[in-house]
């Protein structure tokens, strides 16, 4: 933390501008050595025009921004140098900074310093990573809820309930003569824990929606050969992504594409027709299809409405019957009302891949199955981070242990030990209780310059 660090904060390459970020107690002093203006005399949050120089030789024409401590992202002095794009110029300026006392930042080190200096909490830091990686409008909105401390505030309310219990128990034990103190009974503990548990369970329930927004859906199109799987893929993507012929076995490998349904990213996989075959290449494709079934959130099981459900379809049904399935009765232009009793328990629709109007029918059904319209109309306050979800699950386990202790009539001062465990677990979510190995693992996942 005593070092002054530097890194390129933008993607290096052919571009009009690249930004080099410098942070630390000596950032202004170091940049002054290679800049033709004195930044120490500049006010915070100002931009200065000038040149990067080396031995009186101009290296680049730049704009330099100064953010003085503590009003900066890391709470340290930060200097950002806007240089012209291109590897040569960027590398040269970085070389000058390092030779004058800065060191190359580690991945995520600026963000880590912001956390360690109290500028942000751990939920905000992880939300920054989610914002960087956001691929849909929904995931962007959800990440911003983490950055603006919405998640932090929800966890803080839970922590305060537990802390109040612990504090009052301590007063009851150490100062029994203090008449104004609330006497913490097992009933009071149970009532407060019930409220905390209900809130955590609600957060965990909604986290499934959060994971859906963050990770998207993976959908596989399966069926026997020549039922219209590739045509369905092309319809969903609105492009000729997959080769379509009337020859069985045309698709021998996974063909992928993606789209957005009600703000959620959807990865679509067109699989090879699942059937018995002696062809080596086809058999590999069939194996990949079976793996795709296991990995998918939804299976689009395509049935040929013209010829109906047969033995080959029966074999595929045995592979997908435990999965989330939407039966697509294709070729409704041949048989508009075909249904199969064996598939009655699944969601189903009748379509023709030749009719583009059916695209809305499919998308609406997928949206209905996963309640995507509700997600799109929500306020996006969801927890989607695996570490945070794991700690919430651990909190539920601790609450269950306390509830068991209450039933067994344990003394309140014994129960306080588990209340402290619960408080520490919730504090770990926001980073108020942490260990260095965990922090190093979290921040190492960020790119250089962040």
């Amino acid at each position: 933390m005593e070092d002054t660090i530097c890194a390129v904060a933008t993607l290096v390459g052919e571009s009009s501008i690249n930004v080099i970020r410098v942070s630390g107690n000596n950032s202004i002093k170091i940049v002054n050595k290679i800049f033709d203006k004195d930044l120490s005399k500049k006010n915070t949050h100002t931009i200065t025009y000038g040149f990067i120089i080396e031995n009186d030789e101009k290296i680049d024409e730049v704009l330099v921004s100064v953010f003085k401590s503590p009003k900066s992202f890391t709470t340290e002095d930060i200097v950002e140098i806007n240089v012209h794009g291109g590897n040569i110029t960027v590398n040269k300026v970085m070389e000058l900074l390092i030779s004058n006392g800065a060191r190359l930042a580690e991945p995520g080190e600026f963000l880590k310093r912001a956390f360690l200096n109290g500028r942000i909490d751990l939920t905000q830091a992880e939300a920054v990573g989610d914002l960087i990686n956001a691929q849909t409008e929904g995931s962007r909105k959800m990440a911003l809820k983490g950055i603006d401390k919405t998640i932090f505030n929800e966890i803080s309310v839970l922590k305060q309930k537990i802390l109040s219990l612990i504090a009052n128990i301590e007063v009851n034990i150490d100062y029994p003569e203090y008449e104004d103190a609330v006497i913490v009974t097992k009933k009071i503990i149970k009532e407060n824990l019930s409220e905390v548990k209900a809130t955590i369970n609600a957060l965990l329930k909604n986290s499934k929606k959060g994971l859906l927004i963050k990770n998207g859906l993976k959908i596989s199109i399966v069926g026997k050969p020549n039922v219209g799987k590739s045509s369905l893929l092309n319809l969903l993507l609105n492009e000729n992504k997959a080769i379509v012929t009337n020859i069985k076995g045309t698709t021998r490998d996974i063909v992928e594409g993606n789209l957005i349904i009600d703000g959620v990213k959807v990865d679509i996989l067109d699989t090879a027709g699942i059937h018995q075959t002696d062809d080596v290449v086809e058999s590999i494709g069939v194996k990949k299809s079976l793996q795709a079934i296991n990995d998918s959130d939804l299976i689009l099981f395509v049935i040929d409405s013209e010829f109906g459900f047969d033995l080959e379809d029966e074999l595929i049904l045995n592979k997908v019957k435990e999965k989330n399935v939407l039966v697509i009765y294709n070729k409704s232009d041949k048989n508009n009302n075909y249904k199969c009793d064996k598939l009655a328990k699944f969601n189903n629709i009748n379509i023709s891949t030749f009719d583009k109007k059916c695209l809305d029918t499919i998308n609406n059904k997928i949206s209905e199955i996963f309640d995507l319209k509700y997600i799109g109309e929500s306020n996006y306050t969801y927890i989607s981070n695996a570490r945070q979800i794991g700690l919430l699950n651990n909190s539920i386990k601790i609450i269950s242990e306390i509830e068991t202790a209450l039933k067994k009539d344990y003394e309140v001062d014994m129960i306080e030990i588990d209340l402290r465990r619960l408080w520490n677990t919730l504090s770990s979510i926001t980073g108020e209780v942490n260990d260095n190995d965990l922090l190093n693992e979290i921040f190492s996942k960020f790119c250089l310059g962040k």
Side-chain angles (χ1 to χ4, degrees):
M1 292 286 288
E2 298 300 319
D3 295 343
T4 296
I5 57 175
C6 64
V8 184
T10 49
L11 185 64
V12 179
E14 292 186 11
S15 62
S16 58
I17 296 294
N18 272 307
V19 178
I20 296 173
R21 178 180 284 171
V22 188
S23 180
N25 294 333
N26 294 321
S27 58
I28 294 175
K29 180 180 178 181
I30 289 170
V31 175
N32 268 344
K33 294 178 181 180
I34 65 171
F35 190 49
D36 66 350
K37 301 289 194 307
D38 185 1
L39 296 173
S40 61
K41 297 179 181 179
K42 302 296 181 181
N43 293 327
T44 186
H45 293 73
T46 57
I47 299 175
T48 303
Y49 165 80
F51 288 87
I52 298 295
I53 55 173
E54 181 186 27
N55 299 324
D56 297 325
E57 178 188 349
K58 291 180 179 178
I59 302 301
D60 191 24
E61 182 183 28
V62 299
L63 291 173
V64 178
S65 303
V66 174
F67 306 91
K68 292 185 178 180
S69 174
K71 295 181 179 181
S72 73
F73 179 63
T74 61
T75 76
E76 304 168 336
D77 286 342
I78 286 183
V79 180
E80 291 186 351
I81 308 171
N82 291 261
V83 303
H84 286 95
N87 293 334
I88 299 300
T89 302
V90 170
N91 289 340
K92 182 62 180 178
V93 177
M94 284 292 296
E95 177 188 316
L96 290 173
L97 288 169
I98 292 171
S99 64
N100 280 283
R103 70 164 172 82
L104 183 64
E106 298 173 357
E109 190 168 1
F110 291 94
L111 199 59
K112 185 176 180 181
R113 288 188 176 203
F115 166 72
L116 293 175
N117 291 332
R119 172 69 173 73
I120 58 174
D121 71 89
L122 204 51
T123 61
Q124 288 177 293
E126 290 171 320
V128 169
D130 291 339
L131 184 61
I132 292 170
N133 296 316
Q135 296 183 349
T136 66
E137 182 69 4
S139 54
R140 179 191 68 81
K141 289 180 179 178
M142 187 174 66
L144 283 175
K145 285 293 183 180
I147 291 174
D148 71 8
K149 302 195 78 167
T150 302
I151 301 301
F152 173 86
N153 292 335
E154 292 210 15
I155 299 300
S156 294
V157 170
L158 298 178
K159 286 175 55 189
Q160 187 57 47
K161 284 182 180 291
I162 302 303
L163 191 60
S164 294
L165 286 174
I166 295 170
N168 278 304
I169 291 172
E170 287 292 321
V171 171
N172 294 163
I173 294 171
D174 295 337
Y175 305 99
E177 73 282 359
Y178 191 61
E179 296 179 356
D180 291 338
V182 175
I183 304 300
V184 180
T185 63
K186 293 171 186 177
K187 181 181 178 183
I188 290 175
I189 294 174
K190 186 176 181 180
E191 289 173 351
N192 278 268
L193 279 182
S194 179
E195 293 175 8
V196 172
K197 186 177 183 180
T199 302
I200 293 175
N201 279 329
L203 288 171
L204 287 170
K205 182 179 179 181
N206 284 332
S207 72
K208 295 177 182 178
K209 296 184 177 72
L211 289 170
L212 186 59
I213 295 170
K214 181 178 180 179
N215 301 327
L217 288 171
K218 188 173 184 179
I219 298 178
S220 291
I221 304 171
V222 304
K224 65 187 179 185
N226 213 32
V227 292
K229 298 187 301 299
S230 296
S231 296
L232 177 59
L233 177 72
N234 291 342
L235 175 65
L236 289 168
L237 300 180
N238 197 27
E239 63 173 295
N240 292 322
K241 181 85 173 183
I243 298 172
V244 177
T245 75
N246 58 4
I247 302 171
K248 288 187 177 182
T250 300
T251 302
R252 295 189 168 205
D253 201 355
I254 302 289
V255 181
E256 299 183 45
N258 57 73
L259 65 151
I260 305 294
I261 300 178
D262 288 333
V264 174
K265 181 174 175 284
V266 179
D267 292 323
I268 299 282
L269 290 80
D270 174 25
T271 66
I274 299 175
H275 64 122
Q276 297 293 331
T277 178
D278 295 325
D279 186 293
V280 175
V281 177
E282 269 195 290
S283 64
I284 294 172
V286 171
K287 287 181 182 178
K288 286 187 176 183
S289 299
L290 296 175
Q291 183 60 50
I293 289 172
N294 292 330
D295 297 338
S296 293
D297 300 297
L298 179 67
I299 305 298
L300 303 185
F301 185 11
V302 185
I303 302 294
D304 189 328
S305 295
E306 183 180 7
F307 297 104
F309 189 87
D310 62 17
L311 183 58
E312 282 188 280
D313 294 312
E314 182 87 50
L315 293 172
I316 297 169
L317 174 59
N318 290 331
K319 305 289 185 184
V320 304
K321 61 185 179 181
E322 302 301 326
K323 299 289 291 184
N324 192 5
V325 175
L326 170 58
V327 178
I328 306 288
Y329 291 111
N330 189 28
K331 304 183 183 179
S332 61
D333 51 314
K334 306 284 186 179
N335 187 349
N336 188 41
N337 297 312
Y338 178 76
K339 302 286 184 184
C340 173
D341 291 340
K342 289 187 177 181
L343 303 174
K345 73 171 186 175
F346 300 116
N347 287 292
N348 65 84
I349 50 175
N350 291 78
I351 67 143
S352 169
T353 54
F354 295 118
D355 184 358
K356 289 193 174 183
K357 293 179 182 178
C358 290
L359 177 59
D360 287 339
T361 303
I362 302 168
N363 287 345
N364 289 338
K365 195 64 180 180
I366 293 172
S367 179
E368 177 189 317
I369 291 171
F370 292 98
D371 206 11
L372 301 186
K373 280 190 170 63
Y374 169 79
I375 293 174
E377 295 168 356
S378 69
N379 64 2
Y380 290 95
T381 306
Y382 301 125
I383 289 179
S384 64
N385 181 276
R387 184 191 68 86
Q388 296 169 21
I389 291 171
L391 289 169
L392 287 175
N393 279 315
N394 288 343
S395 298
I396 290 295
K397 290 179 183 177
I398 295 171
I399 290 173
S400 296
E401 291 172 10
I402 296 173
E403 288 173 337
T404 300
L406 288 169
K407 288 178 181 177
K408 291 182 178 180
D409 208 25
Y410 282 24
E411 293 299 324
V412 169
D413 54 344
M414 293 295 293
I415 292 171
E416 184 199 356
I417 297 172
D418 285 331
L419 288 173
R420 287 184 178 276
R421 282 176 56 215
L422 177 59
W423 187 88
N424 284 332
T425 301
L426 291 171
S427 295
S428 295
I429 294 175
T430 56
E432 291 157 284
V433 173
N434 58 68
D435 64 75
N436 288 330
D437 289 340
L438 172 63
L439 293 181
N440 290 336
E441 172 65 21
I442 290 172
F443 289 104
S444 67
K445 296 176 182 177
F446 290 89
C447 58
L448 285 171
K450 194 58 193 170

